[in-house]
Amino acid sequence: MHLSMPKPEQEILRNRTRLIERLREIVPVDNVIDEETQLRAYECDGLTMYRQLPLVVVLPENVEQVSKVMALANEMNVKIVPRGAGTSLSGGSLPLGDGILLGMSKFNRILEIDYANRCVQVQPGVTNLAITKAVEHEGFYYAPDPSSQIACSIGGNVGENSGGVHCLKYGLTTNNLLGLEIVLMDGSVLRLGGKYLDSDLYDVMGLMTGSEGLLGVITEVTVRILQKPEAARALLLGFPSVESGADCVAAIIAAGIIPGGLEMMDNLALVAAEDFQSCGYPRDAEALIVCELDGTMSEVDHLMTIVSQIAKDQGANSTKASQSEQERVQFWAGRKNAFPAVGAIGPDYMCMDGTIPRNQLGFVLGAIKKLTKKYGLRCANVFHAGDGNMHPLILYDANKEGDIEKAEAFGAEILKLSVAVGGVLTGEHGVGVEKRDLMHTMFSETDLKQQQRVKCAFDPKHRLNPGKVFPTLHRCAELGKVHVHKGKLPFPDLPRF
Amino acid sequence: MKTLAPETEKDVTQIVVTALSQGTPIDIIGAGSAAALGRPACAEISLSTLGLNGVTLYEPSELVLTAGAGTPLSTITALLDEQDQQLAFEPIDHGQLFGGSPGTGTIGGLVAVNASGPRRIKAGAARDHLLGFRAINGRGEVFQSGGRVMKNVTGYDMCKLMAGSYGTFGILSEITLKVLPKAETEVTLLIVGLDDDQAVDVMTTVSGLSHEVSGFAHLPAVGSDFVSPAPAELADRSLTALRLEGPEISVKTRKSELVDYLAEPGRQIEQIHSLASRSLWAKLRDATLFRHGSSDQIWRISSVPTKGAQLVKDLMAKQVPVTCHYYDWAGGLIWLAVTPANDAHAPAIRDVTDIHTGHATLIRASDDVRASIPVFHPQPVALAALTKRLRTSFDPQLIFNRGRVREDL
Ligand SMILES: Cc1cc2nc3c(=O)[nH]c(=O)nc-3n(C[C@H](O)[C@H](O)[C@H](O)COP(=O)(O)OP(=O)(O)OC[C@H]3O[C@@H](n4cnc5c(N)ncnc54)[C@H](O)[C@@H]3O)c2cc1C
């Protein structure tokens, strides 16, 4: 593991005792955690290969406390790492040794459910699933459904702009948000949006979404909820090769159909899922598509026929349609548990998250297969095929000398390949520390500097979650300089206006 | 005023660098169809993006299209039509609202103003369909963000910032958009004769059903002006319009279910199909009702859907001389025409909007009026300060569209 993080600032470490005292003046004494045994619980997020004890953990209970903690950190020049449920797969909430870990777990209340305006106002620590649970008795649900939805917080979802299996049709977190309350590094509290659409001027809410805790701390979220479709059914389509599965995905979209969910798994993943929890997957298929169609009963039946025919034309060798709601849920259970299922055969796994143009699926999967030989590691593939978002799960053994390094190198090759075929490094898990050093494969130095200038507008001293997302930190003063001066033009032969 | 029309990114860069070195602000224009949005332009130099023209990538099965920012929307629409695809956010065509001709806007321009129509409530705004872009910032540097794939969280989501930035973050040179299949068919139900309260009630209730209505508008009294050909019996009656789109078989079911749901003794429900339906929603989208040479000032208010009717009542109670209004987005969007005044009745309109929460944008008024009162809803101090810092993070010398969105920006 060769992850380099910003060097701990001695000044901060020296002031630890004083910092803890002052934090205890802001939040209840027990909400400041400074003992090593208790700090251990926070040493990593879902990307477990990287661990670091935080300087101190603070668990604020309301926005005033968050604001005061931020202002104090600003005053004492201490770093802050916001943390929701800590399920990030990219190390977004990995602690810093010289940073406060700001845990949002006490922000766990649903503030208002407004069915008439189809929205729910919640605190950021509420879990994704809890929102749906709170409204489902009225037939509503919150659409983005990451597989981690039992555990992950809505604040973390905003932090990562998380997706789920229903995002193809219903959008990611960013497409389902109406409002946020955020606290900036200087302690100021801003409200963005509300129960209405679009921003008055710049879309700061859109920018906050997916900002990985680098711009501000989210203290309230207003999401849109949707009425459940009248009917939803799922199809399990087995294919003799990954390529034919990929072709089928393209053919469904090309036919003008946007399914509620369109997922694919390769043989290693589907067998692991079936072993983990039996859900009727065809063990002999090289690729399995789970396709959900929703709408009116008539529409669903109609689309099921069309999609089954497309699958047949693309060479599917097994087709199974869910006959009940129970069976539909069962079809999804395997997919939703795919990560832990693969984890069970691991013993460890590293999850990649590149998105590629759909028509490159076959090619990239072929290349991954070759890489498994090169590195001598297995790789199970699970993906949101409808939107080209791949999740190769690289299996390794953390206790085996050199395995982590091999897995990291394997992962990096996959991501570089994703970018090379017109895709991106991460579709929904975020950059964090994991893909930080690969940012240059997608962005030029100019692109990255522009992004960092945006960061400077929020956090000029780089106190919020530094060491994440950007491979190199430039000081804001340096970034702010304008390098074009009178008489020193980069293009001397320019026409004058 | 001098207009430059560069044809390459490099030329744009050179112009920006020159402008920077001379301290000359530049106004950015596409086709100029939305040039009257925002505060009036004031720079001596304007840069037209029309030279940055052409679709460079269109893959229907990948649902993606890339084009130069100056490409006319009409070119793009024609191309998408061939494949039965569309821009699902229903871009507003501002042409007629400002007395110009329809169909002239550029793709860059409509992204820059985040212009989204009735389907916004279901399918999202322009900001939700912008996958990637290239642009030149106020330092004369070309930068890009996003990509051409549907899901991407690599780095900050700068697409959201560029959409609706009115050119104050940079000159967009290339745009990549998500495109979607067109609906096989559409039908619009027209409920006749509801008052504003009843209509907002119906619309918000229906928006909570599973019928996937893709447009909810209410036209008080003036409804029949929008429907052509308008049946005589609709004259001077209000109309509440609910649009259903999708596969024939689905629309049929949803329509009959919805008609049953809405049926009440004495309630008249009409139906319009294909062309008539499309034309109604296009007029609602473009606010063409306000076109005919009237000097009325026009506002667009985004607020809480259930508060729509009350908001308008409160405006009237505050003596705001509303000459015409209608609702879109199930009551969440109010288009408002008022008798002209030097302050466009901004204080009252904004006070009332603040009470119900939301924002009121002055869309049409004379240059003098738009120069003297805030066109965009005034922001609380901390947000206004952040807005300014964001602006200067892209354009430190305020070289682009100076003063277009706010006096100090
Ligand atoms: C088994 C498993 C399956 C998963 N499946 C999916 C999936 O299907 N789709 C998907 O998109 N992701 C998935 N994830 C990844 C992860 O669950 C998501 O990224 C999730 O949104 C993280 O939420 P969290 O509350 O755990 O946030 P954390 O991990 O605590 O934090 C995530 C990021 O957001 C920031 N953050 C958290 N809270 C706040 C706040 N209040 N204010 C400001 N910043 C904040 C953090 O600093 C960090 O950068 C999966 C993870 C696991 C372990």
Side-chain angles (χ1 to χ4, degrees), chain B residues 240-266:
Chain B
T240 309
L242 303 172
R243 176 175 60 183
L244 292 164
E245 296 175 295
E248 185 82 49
I249 188 161
S250 156
V251 169
K252 216 170 119 195
T253 322
R254 285 184 283 147
K255 185 183 73 182
S256 64
E257 283 175 8
L258 200 53
V259 169
D260 286 349
Y261 179 86
L262 293 168
E264 264 182 26

PDB file of all heavy atoms in Angstrom, chain B residues 240-266:
ATOM      1  N   THR B 240     -57.011  23.058 -17.418  1.00  0.00           N
ATOM      2  CA  THR B 240     -55.930  22.413 -16.680  1.00  0.00           C
ATOM      3  C   THR B 240     -55.449  21.258 -17.539  1.00  0.00           C
ATOM      4  O   THR B 240     -56.230  20.359 -17.861  1.00  0.00           O
ATOM      5  CB  THR B 240     -56.430  21.899 -15.317  1.00  0.00           C
ATOM      6  OG1 THR B 240     -57.111  22.982 -14.663  1.00  0.00           O
ATOM      7  CG2 THR B 240     -55.286  21.413 -14.451  1.00  0.00           C
ATOM      8  N   ALA B 241     -54.182  21.330 -17.946  1.00  0.00           N
ATOM      9  CA  ALA B 241     -53.673  20.382 -18.932  1.00  0.00           C
ATOM     10  C   ALA B 241     -52.760  19.346 -18.279  1.00  0.00           C
ATOM     11  O   ALA B 241     -51.843  19.706 -17.530  1.00  0.00           O
ATOM     12  CB  ALA B 241     -52.911  21.139 -20.014  1.00  0.00           C
ATOM     13  N   LEU B 242     -53.025  18.084 -18.543  1.00  0.00           N
ATOM     14  CA  LEU B 242     -52.195  16.991 -18.037  1.00  0.00           C
ATOM     15  C   LEU B 242     -51.737  16.158 -19.228  1.00  0.00           C
ATOM     16  O   LEU B 242     -52.560  15.656 -19.985  1.00  0.00           O
ATOM     17  CB  LEU B 242     -52.998  16.112 -17.074  1.00  0.00           C
ATOM     18  CG  LEU B 242     -53.625  16.828 -15.866  1.00  0.00           C
ATOM     19  CD1 LEU B 242     -54.557  15.885 -15.114  1.00  0.00           C
ATOM     20  CD2 LEU B 242     -52.543  17.358 -14.930  1.00  0.00           C
ATOM     21  N   ARG B 243     -50.430  16.026 -19.379  1.00  0.00           N
ATOM     22  CA  ARG B 243     -49.911  15.323 -20.558  1.00  0.00           C
ATOM     23  C   ARG B 243     -49.430  13.923 -20.202  1.00  0.00           C
ATOM     24  O   ARG B 243     -48.696  13.727 -19.235  1.00  0.00           O
ATOM     25  CB  ARG B 243     -48.749  16.115 -21.163  1.00  0.00           C
ATOM     26  CG  ARG B 243     -48.088  15.408 -22.353  1.00  0.00           C
ATOM     27  CD  ARG B 243     -47.028  16.257 -23.006  1.00  0.00           C
ATOM     28  NE  ARG B 243     -45.952  16.608 -22.068  1.00  0.00           N
ATOM     29  CZ  ARG B 243     -44.938  17.402 -22.385  1.00  0.00           C
ATOM     30  NH1 ARG B 243     -44.860  17.944 -23.590  1.00  0.00           N
ATOM     31  NH2 ARG B 243     -44.016  17.663 -21.489  1.00  0.00           N
ATOM     32  N   LEU B 244     -49.835  12.970 -21.019  1.00  0.00           N
ATOM     33  CA  LEU B 244     -49.355  11.594 -20.875  1.00  0.00           C
ATOM     34  C   LEU B 244     -48.551  11.241 -22.113  1.00  0.00           C
ATOM     35  O   LEU B 244     -48.979  11.486 -23.234  1.00  0.00           O
ATOM     36  CB  LEU B 244     -50.543  10.640 -20.751  1.00  0.00           C
ATOM     37  CG  LEU B 244     -51.365  10.784 -19.463  1.00  0.00           C
ATOM     38  CD1 LEU B 244     -52.707  10.094 -19.624  1.00  0.00           C
ATOM     39  CD2 LEU B 244     -50.597  10.227 -18.278  1.00  0.00           C
ATOM     40  N   GLU B 245     -47.384  10.648 -21.900  1.00  0.00           N
ATOM     41  CA  GLU B 245     -46.529  10.256 -23.023  1.00  0.00           C
ATOM     42  C   GLU B 245     -46.028   8.838 -22.796  1.00  0.00           C
ATOM     43  O   GLU B 245     -45.898   8.406 -21.652  1.00  0.00           O
ATOM     44  CB  GLU B 245     -45.302  11.161 -23.108  1.00  0.00           C
ATOM     45  CG  GLU B 245     -45.599  12.611 -23.394  1.00  0.00           C
ATOM     46  CD  GLU B 245     -44.331  13.459 -23.328  1.00  0.00           C
ATOM     47  OE1 GLU B 245     -43.749  13.572 -22.236  1.00  0.00           O
ATOM     48  OE2 GLU B 245     -43.934  13.979 -24.382  1.00  0.00           O
ATOM     49  N   GLY B 246     -45.706   8.154 -23.863  1.00  0.00           N
ATOM     50  CA  GLY B 246     -45.123   6.818 -23.721  1.00  0.00           C
ATOM     51  C   GLY B 246     -45.576   5.900 -24.821  1.00  0.00           C
ATOM     52  O   GLY B 246     -46.128   6.343 -25.829  1.00  0.00           O
ATOM     53  N   PRO B 247     -45.352   4.592 -24.614  1.00  0.00           N
ATOM     54  CA  PRO B 247     -45.830   3.626 -25.593  1.00  0.00           C
ATOM     55  C   PRO B 247     -47.362   3.691 -25.662  1.00  0.00           C
ATOM     56  O   PRO B 247     -48.020   3.878 -24.635  1.00  0.00           O
ATOM     57  CB  PRO B 247     -45.379   2.274 -25.026  1.00  0.00           C
ATOM     58  CG  PRO B 247     -44.339   2.589 -24.009  1.00  0.00           C
ATOM     59  CD  PRO B 247     -44.625   3.954 -23.509  1.00  0.00           C
ATOM     60  N   GLU B 248     -47.879   3.554 -26.857  1.00  0.00           N
ATOM     61  CA  GLU B 248     -49.330   3.611 -27.112  1.00  0.00           C
ATOM     62  C   GLU B 248     -50.128   2.840 -26.045  1.00  0.00           C
ATOM     63  O   GLU B 248     -51.057   3.363 -25.426  1.00  0.00           O
ATOM     64  CB  GLU B 248     -49.571   2.981 -28.500  1.00  0.00           C
ATOM     65  CG  GLU B 248     -50.995   3.062 -28.984  1.00  0.00           C
ATOM     66  CD  GLU B 248     -51.303   4.413 -29.615  1.00  0.00           C
ATOM     67  OE1 GLU B 248     -50.496   4.854 -30.466  1.00  0.00           O
ATOM     68  OE2 GLU B 248     -52.322   5.008 -29.237  1.00  0.00           O
ATOM     69  N   ILE B 249     -49.711   1.616 -25.837  1.00  0.00           N
ATOM     70  CA  ILE B 249     -50.461   0.715 -24.956  1.00  0.00           C
ATOM     71  C   ILE B 249     -50.501   1.231 -23.519  1.00  0.00           C
ATOM     72  O   ILE B 249     -51.499   1.106 -22.808  1.00  0.00           O
ATOM     73  CB  ILE B 249     -49.839  -0.706 -25.021  1.00  0.00           C
ATOM     74  CG1 ILE B 249     -50.703  -1.712 -24.279  1.00  0.00           C
ATOM     75  CG2 ILE B 249     -48.441  -0.740 -24.479  1.00  0.00           C
ATOM     76  CD1 ILE B 249     -50.394  -3.136 -24.684  1.00  0.00           C
ATOM     77  N   SER B 250     -49.413   1.865 -23.112  1.00  0.00           N
ATOM     78  CA  SER B 250     -49.336   2.393 -21.760  1.00  0.00           C
ATOM     79  C   SER B 250     -50.145   3.681 -21.632  1.00  0.00           C
ATOM     80  O   SER B 250     -50.863   3.890 -20.657  1.00  0.00           O
ATOM     81  CB  SER B 250     -47.862   2.624 -21.417  1.00  0.00           C
ATOM     82  OG  SER B 250     -47.726   3.576 -20.423  1.00  0.00           O
ATOM     83  N   VAL B 251     -50.023   4.532 -22.630  1.00  0.00           N
ATOM     84  CA  VAL B 251     -50.750   5.806 -22.588  1.00  0.00           C
ATOM     85  C   VAL B 251     -52.254   5.538 -22.533  1.00  0.00           C
ATOM     86  O   VAL B 251     -52.992   6.184 -21.784  1.00  0.00           O
ATOM     87  CB  VAL B 251     -50.390   6.683 -23.815  1.00  0.00           C
ATOM     88  CG1 VAL B 251     -51.321   7.879 -23.922  1.00  0.00           C
ATOM     89  CG2 VAL B 251     -48.941   7.144 -23.701  1.00  0.00           C
ATOM     90  N   LYS B 252     -52.668   4.548 -23.308  1.00  0.00           N
ATOM     91  CA  LYS B 252     -54.089   4.203 -23.353  1.00  0.00           C
ATOM     92  C   LYS B 252     -54.593   3.823 -21.954  1.00  0.00           C
ATOM     93  O   LYS B 252     -55.616   4.324 -21.483  1.00  0.00           O
ATOM     94  CB  LYS B 252     -54.287   3.022 -24.312  1.00  0.00           C
ATOM     95  CG  LYS B 252     -55.570   3.099 -25.097  1.00  0.00           C
ATOM     96  CD  LYS B 252     -55.581   2.037 -26.177  1.00  0.00           C
ATOM     97  CE  LYS B 252     -56.752   1.093 -25.922  1.00  0.00           C
ATOM     98  NZ  LYS B 252     -56.657  -0.147 -26.681  1.00  0.00           N
ATOM     99  N   THR B 253     -53.852   2.955 -21.298  1.00  0.00           N
ATOM    100  CA  THR B 253     -54.261   2.526 -19.951  1.00  0.00           C
ATOM    101  C   THR B 253     -54.245   3.693 -18.971  1.00  0.00           C
ATOM    102  O   THR B 253     -55.188   3.904 -18.218  1.00  0.00           O
ATOM    103  CB  THR B 253     -53.275   1.466 -19.402  1.00  0.00           C
ATOM    104  OG1 THR B 253     -52.889   0.609 -20.452  1.00  0.00           O
ATOM    105  CG2 THR B 253     -53.878   0.696 -18.262  1.00  0.00           C
ATOM    106  N   ARG B 254     -53.138   4.422 -18.989  1.00  0.00           N
ATOM    107  CA  ARG B 254     -53.005   5.506 -18.009  1.00  0.00           C
ATOM    108  C   ARG B 254     -54.072   6.567 -18.238  1.00  0.00           C
ATOM    109  O   ARG B 254     -54.612   7.144 -17.290  1.00  0.00           O
ATOM    110  CB  ARG B 254     -51.606   6.120 -18.092  1.00  0.00           C
ATOM    111  CG  ARG B 254     -50.554   5.226 -17.467  1.00  0.00           C
ATOM    112  CD  ARG B 254     -49.191   5.879 -17.472  1.00  0.00           C
ATOM    113  NE  ARG B 254     -48.569   5.819 -18.787  1.00  0.00           N
ATOM    114  CZ  ARG B 254     -47.755   6.758 -19.274  1.00  0.00           C
ATOM    115  NH1 ARG B 254     -47.495   7.843 -18.583  1.00  0.00           N
ATOM    116  NH2 ARG B 254     -47.217   6.637 -20.466  1.00  0.00           N
ATOM    117  N   LYS B 255     -54.376   6.803 -19.523  1.00  0.00           N
ATOM    118  CA  LYS B 255     -55.387   7.815 -19.824  1.00  0.00           C
ATOM    119  C   LYS B 255     -56.741   7.399 -19.266  1.00  0.00           C
ATOM    120  O   LYS B 255     -57.411   8.189 -18.595  1.00  0.00           O
ATOM    121  CB  LYS B 255     -55.482   8.029 -21.339  1.00  0.00           C
ATOM    122  CG  LYS B 255     -56.426   9.147 -21.702  1.00  0.00           C
ATOM    123  CD  LYS B 255     -56.552   9.292 -23.202  1.00  0.00           C
ATOM    124  CE  LYS B 255     -57.380   8.144 -23.760  1.00  0.00           C
ATOM    125  NZ  LYS B 255     -57.490   8.206 -25.228  1.00  0.00           N
ATOM    126  N   SER B 256     -57.128   6.167 -19.525  1.00  0.00           N
ATOM    127  CA  SER B 256     -58.476   5.793 -19.074  1.00  0.00           C
ATOM    128  C   SER B 256     -58.530   5.751 -17.544  1.00  0.00           C
ATOM    129  O   SER B 256     -59.517   6.163 -16.943  1.00  0.00           O
ATOM    130  CB  SER B 256     -58.929   4.484 -19.714  1.00  0.00           C
ATOM    131  OG  SER B 256     -58.100   3.449 -19.299  1.00  0.00           O
ATOM    132  N   GLU B 257     -57.432   5.320 -16.925  1.00  0.00           N
ATOM    133  CA  GLU B 257     -57.411   5.325 -15.454  1.00  0.00           C
ATOM    134  C   GLU B 257     -57.498   6.746 -14.904  1.00  0.00           C
ATOM    135  O   GLU B 257     -58.211   7.014 -13.936  1.00  0.00           O
ATOM    136  CB  GLU B 257     -56.120   4.669 -14.937  1.00  0.00           C
ATOM    137  CG  GLU B 257     -56.139   3.152 -15.022  1.00  0.00           C
ATOM    138  CD  GLU B 257     -54.802   2.535 -14.607  1.00  0.00           C
ATOM    139  OE1 GLU B 257     -53.918   3.272 -14.102  1.00  0.00           O
ATOM    140  OE2 GLU B 257     -54.643   1.328 -14.800  1.00  0.00           O
ATOM    141  N   LEU B 258     -56.756   7.629 -15.551  1.00  0.00           N
ATOM    142  CA  LEU B 258     -56.721   9.007 -15.066  1.00  0.00           C
ATOM    143  C   LEU B 258     -58.071   9.705 -15.277  1.00  0.00           C
ATOM    144  O   LEU B 258     -58.541  10.444 -14.407  1.00  0.00           O
ATOM    145  CB  LEU B 258     -55.597   9.763 -15.790  1.00  0.00           C
ATOM    146  CG  LEU B 258     -55.080  11.030 -15.126  1.00  0.00           C
ATOM    147  CD1 LEU B 258     -54.665  10.781 -13.689  1.00  0.00           C
ATOM    148  CD2 LEU B 258     -53.898  11.593 -15.919  1.00  0.00           C
ATOM    149  N   VAL B 259     -58.672   9.428 -16.416  1.00  0.00           N
ATOM    150  CA  VAL B 259     -59.993  10.017 -16.687  1.00  0.00           C
ATOM    151  C   VAL B 259     -60.984   9.534 -15.626  1.00  0.00           C
ATOM    152  O   VAL B 259     -61.747  10.332 -15.070  1.00  0.00           O
ATOM    153  CB  VAL B 259     -60.473   9.671 -18.110  1.00  0.00           C
ATOM    154  CG1 VAL B 259     -61.944  10.044 -18.293  1.00  0.00           C
ATOM    155  CG2 VAL B 259     -59.622  10.394 -19.148  1.00  0.00           C
ATOM    156  N   ASP B 260     -60.928   8.258 -15.308  1.00  0.00           N
ATOM    157  CA  ASP B 260     -61.813   7.724 -14.264  1.00  0.00           C
ATOM    158  C   ASP B 260     -61.540   8.410 -12.929  1.00  0.00           C
ATOM    159  O   ASP B 260     -62.447   8.770 -12.195  1.00  0.00           O
ATOM    160  CB  ASP B 260     -61.585   6.212 -14.069  1.00  0.00           C
ATOM    161  CG  ASP B 260     -62.175   5.416 -15.208  1.00  0.00           C
ATOM    162  OD1 ASP B 260     -62.923   6.018 -16.010  1.00  0.00           O
ATOM    163  OD2 ASP B 260     -61.875   4.198 -15.318  1.00  0.00           O
ATOM    164  N   TYR B 261     -60.259   8.565 -12.642  1.00  0.00           N
ATOM    165  CA  TYR B 261     -59.871   9.171 -11.368  1.00  0.00           C
ATOM    166  C   TYR B 261     -60.369  10.610 -11.260  1.00  0.00           C
ATOM    167  O   TYR B 261     -60.811  11.063 -10.201  1.00  0.00           O
ATOM    168  CB  TYR B 261     -58.343   9.128 -11.232  1.00  0.00           C
ATOM    169  CG  TYR B 261     -57.835   9.763  -9.963  1.00  0.00           C
ATOM    170  CD1 TYR B 261     -57.753   9.029  -8.784  1.00  0.00           C
ATOM    171  CD2 TYR B 261     -57.450  11.105  -9.950  1.00  0.00           C
ATOM    172  CE1 TYR B 261     -57.305   9.614  -7.617  1.00  0.00           C
ATOM    173  CE2 TYR B 261     -56.993  11.704  -8.782  1.00  0.00           C
ATOM    174  CZ  TYR B 261     -56.924  10.952  -7.618  1.00  0.00           C
ATOM    175  OH  TYR B 261     -56.480  11.532  -6.465  1.00  0.00           O
ATOM    176  N   LEU B 262     -60.286  11.325 -12.384  1.00  0.00           N
ATOM    177  CA  LEU B 262     -60.617  12.750 -12.360  1.00  0.00           C
ATOM    178  C   LEU B 262     -62.111  13.027 -12.483  1.00  0.00           C
ATOM    179  O   LEU B 262     -62.578  14.124 -12.187  1.00  0.00           O
ATOM    180  CB  LEU B 262     -59.886  13.480 -13.495  1.00  0.00           C
ATOM    181  CG  LEU B 262     -58.363  13.542 -13.380  1.00  0.00           C
ATOM    182  CD1 LEU B 262     -57.745  14.017 -14.691  1.00  0.00           C
ATOM    183  CD2 LEU B 262     -57.952  14.468 -12.238  1.00  0.00           C
ATOM    184  N   ALA B 263     -62.859  12.012 -12.957  1.00  0.00           N
ATOM    185  CA  ALA B 263     -64.274  12.235 -13.259  1.00  0.00           C
ATOM    186  C   ALA B 263     -65.054  12.676 -12.031  1.00  0.00           C
ATOM    187  O   ALA B 263     -64.891  12.126 -10.939  1.00  0.00           O
ATOM    188  CB  ALA B 263     -64.868  10.957 -13.832  1.00  0.00           C
ATOM    189  N   GLU B 264     -65.839  13.696 -12.219  1.00  0.00           N
ATOM    190  CA  GLU B 264     -66.733  14.191 -11.166  1.00  0.00           C
ATOM    191  C   GLU B 264     -67.987  14.663 -11.864  1.00  0.00           C
ATOM    192  O   GLU B 264     -67.906  15.115 -13.007  1.00  0.00           O
ATOM    193  CB  GLU B 264     -66.090  15.396 -10.461  1.00  0.00           C
ATOM    194  CG  GLU B 264     -65.365  15.042  -9.197  1.00  0.00           C
ATOM    195  CD  GLU B 264     -64.778  16.264  -8.508  1.00  0.00           C
ATOM    196  OE1 GLU B 264     -65.325  17.378  -8.703  1.00  0.00           O
ATOM    197  OE2 GLU B 264     -63.789  16.088  -7.795  1.00  0.00           O
ATOM    198  N   PRO B 265     -69.109  14.607 -11.173  1.00  0.00           N
ATOM    199  CA  PRO B 265     -70.320  15.089 -11.819  1.00  0.00           C
ATOM    200  C   PRO B 265     -70.133  16.535 -12.276  1.00  0.00           C
ATOM    201  O   PRO B 265     -69.624  17.356 -11.521  1.00  0.00           O
ATOM    202  CB  PRO B 265     -71.371  15.008 -10.704  1.00  0.00           C
ATOM    203  CG  PRO B 265     -70.820  14.068  -9.683  1.00  0.00           C
ATOM    204  CD  PRO B 265     -69.352  14.109  -9.804  1.00  0.00           C
ATOM    205  N   GLY B 266     -70.468  16.787 -13.509  1.00  0.00           N
ATOM    206  CA  GLY B 266     -70.398  18.158 -14.023  1.00  0.00           C
ATOM    207  C   GLY B 266     -69.020  18.591 -14.481  1.00  0.00           C
ATOM    208  O   GLY B 266     -68.836  19.684 -14.986  1.00  0.00           O
TER     209      GLY B 266
END
